[in-house]
Amino acid sequence: SLDPVLFLDKVDGMWRELCAQLLTIRQVFLYLDRSYVITSTSCRSLFDTGLVLLRQHLAKPQNLQVEQQCVEGMLRLVERDRQGESVDR
C-alpha cells in the first residue's frame, strides 16, 4: 500500500488534471453551456456535471479505501505541520 501522504499527492495531481480536462471540455462546448444549460434550470453546467460524477464515483462502497487513505494523508500532514515541518498546503 502507498504511503498516505504520497497517495494524497497522487489524488491532488488527479484532481488538478480532472479540473483542467473539465475546463477544456467546457471551452469546447461553451456555446451549449451558455445558451442551453444556463436557461434550463434542470441542467448543470458541464464542469458541475463532471464534479458530480467524480463525487458519485468516489462515494461508491468499493472506493472507501480512497477516502480512508486521503484522510490518513491529511492527518499526517497536519501532524507534520504541528511539528514544525514544512508541508505543501
Side-chain angles (χ1 to χ4, degrees), residues 10-71:
K10 297 284 185 190
V11 170
D12 180 56
M14 182 271 317
W15 170 253
R16 291 174 190 273
E17 185 176 329
L18 175 69
C19 286
Q21 291 171 348
L22 288 173
L23 287 174
T24 300
I25 291 169
R26 182 174 169 243
Q27 289 172 346
V28 170
F29 293 100
L30 188 59
Y31 176 76
L32 174 65
D33 221 16
R34 285 188 178 170
S35 63
Y36 179 72
V37 173
I38 291 178
T39 61
S40 173
T41 58
S42 63
C43 292
R44 289 189 171 105
S45 72
L46 291 171
F47 189 85
D48 290 344
T49 300
L51 295 180
V52 168
L53 289 172
L54 175 65
R55 187 179 305 123
Q56 288 173 350
H57 177 71
L58 292 177
K60 292 179 181 178
Q62 63 265 31
N63 293 325
L64 181 60
Q65 186 176 4
V66 172
E67 180 183 350
Q68 292 171 341
Q69 284 281 91
C70 287
V71 169

